[in-house]
């Protein structure tokens, strides 16, 4: 079955710097890759997603890139702010009528003011 | 819509007791997922339903865990008997369609502590 590896497990940056989180997946049939943000004590919430027919997607300070050949995708956060501090999870899915999300182990991002 | 609703929000019980967690998905969503989150194992999918039918329960740890979805607006996750290693946050999520670039909406979670 699908396996998703996420790195790094912790990341500390200064406010205003960029942050990059990387994930790899094992099943080449996976075609949907969402990213969730979980603030301390709260529920995971979708922040951005990408489908396999797209190489990059941006939403303000957040962007996701996908390399299908290498089977890896990344989350990029620019101009980080303290409120970006959270745990970020990547996930992969086969999509369609089946295909639950397989989550990475998460990256704890700390943005220092 | 109130979003996904879970109850109770916190549960403290003693080893050996039965625990029942409850979930009300977002109206109109066909898929319901139960997850368990711990520091060691991260976010694990336990089971998911499509139109009230269990599709994949391969993530259910053992026979002590069972889940039901008697109708489109209600699901339960039961642990009997509970053990200290079951302590975790249990999330319920729902979506209009599994995977397939349809967002999963998570409930607030139930924090379970088994003493």
């Amino acid at each position: 079955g699908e396996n998703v590896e996420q790195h790094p497990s912790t990341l500390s940056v200064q406010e205003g710097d960029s942050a990059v989180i990387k994930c790899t997946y094992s099943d080449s049939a996976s075609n949907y890759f969402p990213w969730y943000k979980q603030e301390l004590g709260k529920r995971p919430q979708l922040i951005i997603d990408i489908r396999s027919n797209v190489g990059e997607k941006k939403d303000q300070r957040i962007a996701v890139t996908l390399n299908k050949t290498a089977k890896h995708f990344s989350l990029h956060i620019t101009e980080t702010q303290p409120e970006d501090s959270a745990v970020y999870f990547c996930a992969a899915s086969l999509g369609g009528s089946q295909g639950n999300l397989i989550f990475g182990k998460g990256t704890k991002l700390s943005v220092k003011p | 819509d109130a979003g996904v609703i879970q109850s109770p929000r916190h549960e403290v019980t003693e080893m050996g007791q039965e625990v029942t967690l409850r979930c009300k998905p977002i109206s109109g969503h066909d898929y319901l997922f139960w997850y368990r989150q711990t520091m060691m194992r991260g976010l694990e999918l336990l089971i998911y339903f499509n139109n009230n039918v269990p599709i994949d329960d391969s993530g259910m740890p053992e026979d002590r865990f069972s889940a039901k979805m008697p109708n489109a607006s209600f699901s339960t996750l039961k642990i009997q008997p509970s053990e200290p290693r079951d302590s975790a946050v249990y999330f319920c999520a729902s979506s209009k369609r599994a995977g397939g670039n349809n967002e999963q909406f998570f409930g607030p979670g139930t924090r379970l502590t088994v003493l």
Side-chain angles (χ1 to χ4, degrees):
Chain A
E2 176 65 279
N3 183 49
V4 176
E5 299 284 340
Q6 184 172 348
H7 299 280
S9 56
T10 61
L11 180 59
S12 182
V13 300
Q14 288 293 136
E15 182 177 0
D17 287 350
S18 295
V20 180
I21 302 170
K22 298 181 179 181
C23 290
T24 60
Y25 61 99
S26 60
D27 192 336
S28 57
S30 290
N31 60 11
Y32 173 60
F33 307 92
W35 286 86
Y36 283 76
K37 175 183 179 182
Q38 185 178 26
E39 297 177 355
L40 186 64
K42 297 195 175 179
R43 72 194 79 185
Q45 291 187 296
L46 180 73
I47 55 171
I48 194 169
D49 56 13
I50 192 169
R51 283 175 270 178
S52 58
N53 59 347
V54 175
E56 183 176 4
K57 184 177 179 179
K58 288 185 179 180
D59 182 3
Q60 300 181 346
R61 297 186 296 107
I62 294 173
V64 57
T65 59
L66 171 65
N67 183 325
K68 285 190 64 180
T69 303
K71 290 189 285 188
H72 67 69
F73 56 113
S74 301
L75 178 71
H76 304 252
I77 306 173
T78 59
E79 302 173 18
T80 54
Q81 301 167 4
E83 51 265 39
D84 294 329
S85 297
V87 178
Y88 292 81
F89 294 94
C90 63
S93 171
L94 293 172
S97 62
Q98 62 176 346
N100 45 286
L101 294 176
I102 305 300
F103 282 89
K105 287 287 191 286
T107 296
K108 183 176 181 180
L109 174 64
S110 299
V111 181
K112 298 182 179 181
Chain B
D1 200 315
V4 176
I5 299 172
Q6 290 187 248
S7 65
R9 294 293 306 277
H10 303 272
E11 177 80 27
V12 180
T13 191
E14 293 188 344
M15 182 174 63
Q17 296 298 307
E18 178 180 296
V19 175
T20 300
L21 311 181
R22 297 173 176 80
C23 175
K24 176 179 169 53
I26 294 172
S27 178
H29 281 193
D30 296 330
Y31 287 82
L32 184 141
F33 306 83
W34 281 101
Y35 292 92
R36 177 174 67 177
Q37 185 175 38
T38 61
M39 289 294 293
M40 290 297 294
R41 301 175 68 89
L43 201 57
E44 302 174 276
L45 177 69
L46 300 177
I47 185 172
Y48 77 95
F49 296 82
N50 176 23
N51 291 322
N52 313 338
V53 177
I55 303 301
D56 184 354
D57 65 354
S58 59
M60 295 286 264
E62 48 199 273
D63 292 345
R64 297 184 299 107
F65 286 69
S66 63
K68 294 182 180 179
M69 192 166 186
N71 57 61
S73 59
F74 184 65
S75 177
T76 60
L77 178 67
K78 186 176 293 187
I79 308 173
Q80 166 63 19
S82 59
E83 298 182 3
R85 60 192 168 121
D86 301 331
S87 297
V89 179
Y90 291 81
F91 286 103
C92 175
S94 70
S95 72
K96 291 182 182 178
R97 202 168 69 213
N101 56 326
N102 270 36
E103 179 180 355
Q104 287 189 19
F105 293 83
F106 283 75
T110 295
R111 181 173 295 277
L112 173 65
T113 303
V114 183
L115 302 174

